[in-house]
Amino acid sequence: MAITLKTPDEIAAMRIAGRLAAEVLDYIAPFVKPGITTGEIDTLCHRYMVDVQNTIPAPLNYAPPGYSPYPKSICTSVNHQVCHGIPGEKVLRNGDIVNIDITVIKDGFHGDTSRMFVVGEPSIAARRLCEVTHECLWIGIGQVRPGATLGDIGHAIQRHAEAAGYSIVREFCGHGIGRRFHEEPQILHYGRPGTGERLQAGMIFTIEPMVNAGRREIREMADGWTIVTKDHSLSAQWEHTVLVTEAGHEVLTVSAGMPARPPVPERAGSTPA
Ligand code: MF3
Ligand code: CO
Ligand code: CO
């Protein structure tokens, strides 16, 4: 199916879904402390979505072709886990880093966002990886405007990650999103400027770079979902859902508690003010 341009009504619904997804992260942030298990985080988020927000946790029982149904309501990816970590008995310890990825469905529309959390006191290396990956996300967002290409986004992200000595995971990417969780196009987090599809106002997609401190190669665990770095190096990821507007872009997964956009150049390659 081709890339769809969202109507004003669909955009209004996506704004609500995006904000609700971000608000689940605001809600859970104070609980992300040493001693909590990822399973307890999942249960708290599930109850908040279902009982407080009246949203549906999109991951629960999600089963793309070739996958077994996902068994939990959120993804929690700790340390060398890249993405799709399944919440369970794992206890978070001082110094761990964890990505919490939330996708809600509200009135039939999806909002998808993730953040990194540092548990207790992070190492300098862990903190830097999380910060650089956050910058990568926002540098990618900074490329989004009508007429830019998907390759512009991927290239800007890749360049920033690699300049810091990190690597970009290739096997997973951002995605169009709307009534379906994963729509066209695929948003690669690497690439060449000026290549790929041109952006048009009304497109909505996620940008969600996965950045490894070591080599880019990954491995899938026996649970059929959890992705880890092959070399066991730390991995980080941040995600927003973004609308292409006539003027540039609008981030839809915004909330009161959302970490501020880091001071990065609006367009990679341009001179910072
Ligand atoms: N939220 C993830 C994304 O950003 C997808 C998770 S699929 C799941 O695309 F089934 F693992 F939840
Ligand atoms: Co996503
Ligand atoms: Co996500």
Side-chain angles (χ1 to χ4, degrees):
M1 199 162 140
I3 305 173
T4 62
L5 300 182
K6 268 65 177 180
T7 66
D9 283 354
E10 290 171 332
I11 290 167
M14 288 296 287
R15 247 183 223 117
I16 291 168
R19 176 178 51 79
L20 288 164
E23 285 176 353
V24 178
L25 291 171
D26 291 2
Y27 159 76
I28 202 62
F31 294 99
V32 185
K33 292 278 144 50
I36 196 168
T37 68
T38 54
E40 288 165 341
I41 291 173
D42 175 74
T43 299
L44 287 166
C45 289
H46 178 92
R47 292 208 182 118
Y48 188 76
M49 290 185 263
V50 171
D51 299 338
V52 178
Q53 293 187 326
N54 284 302
T55 57
I56 297 167
L60 190 58
N61 297 315
Y62 183 61
Y67 284 82
S68 55
Y70 188 78
K72 295 289 179 180
S73 294
I74 69 172
C75 298
T76 52
S77 304
V78 183
N79 294 337
H80 72 296
Q81 296 180 346
V82 173
C83 64
H84 304 167
I86 300 175
E89 300 306 303
K90 188 191 284 284
V91 178
L92 296 183
R93 307 285 186 197
N94 189 55
D96 285 347
I97 59 171
V98 55
N99 174 275
I100 302 182
D101 193 339
I102 302 291
T103 311
V104 304
I105 309 171
K106 182 69 167 183
D107 298 332
F109 290 88
H110 292 73
D112 189 7
T113 184
S114 79
R115 299 177 192 158
M116 294 304 297
F117 296 86
V118 293
V119 181
E121 286 302 311
S123 68
I124 288 167
R127 185 189 296 276
R128 178 173 172 266
L129 175 67
C130 293
E131 286 176 358
V132 169
T133 306
H134 193 215
E135 291 165 6
C136 284
L137 168 60
W138 280 97
I139 285 169
I141 292 170
Q143 295 289 326
V144 175
R145 61 191 181 284
T149 69
L150 292 178
D152 295 338
I153 299 172
H155 174 74
I157 292 169
Q158 178 182 13
R159 193 172 75 154
H160 191 65
E162 291 180 353
Y166 299 146
S167 63
I168 293 282
V169 171
R170 303 288 210 272
E171 291 85 349
F172 295 90
C173 54
H175 49 92
I177 183 168
R179 285 195 176 275
R180 286 175 301 133
F181 196 161
H182 294 102
E183 303 183 351
E184 285 182 37
Q186 296 194 1
I187 311 297
L188 304 182
H189 305 112
Y190 60 94
R192 302 306 315 161
T195 64
E197 200 83 40
R198 272 188 199 284
L199 305 185
Q200 294 176 57
M203 290 180 181
I204 297 181
F205 50 80
T206 73
I207 302 178
E208 48 183 299
M210 285 143 274
V211 177
N212 296 348
R215 297 175 57 82
R216 68 176 173 85
E217 285 79 13
I218 55 159
R219 203 158 57 76
E220 186 180 285
M221 301 292 281
D223 64 22
W225 279 100
T226 309
I227 303 298
V228 298
T229 56
K230 220 175 206 173
D231 65 5
H232 286 87
S233 64
L234 288 178
S235 187
Q237 179 179 29
W238 291 78
E239 175 176 23
H240 273 308
T241 300
V242 181
L243 164 70
V244 185
T245 63
E246 297 295 347
H249 56 261
E250 176 184 339
V251 177
L252 301 181
T253 36
V254 291
S255 65
M258 163 189 149
R261 174 187 183 276
V264 294
E266 177 66 15
R267 288 201 280 276
S270 71
T271 311

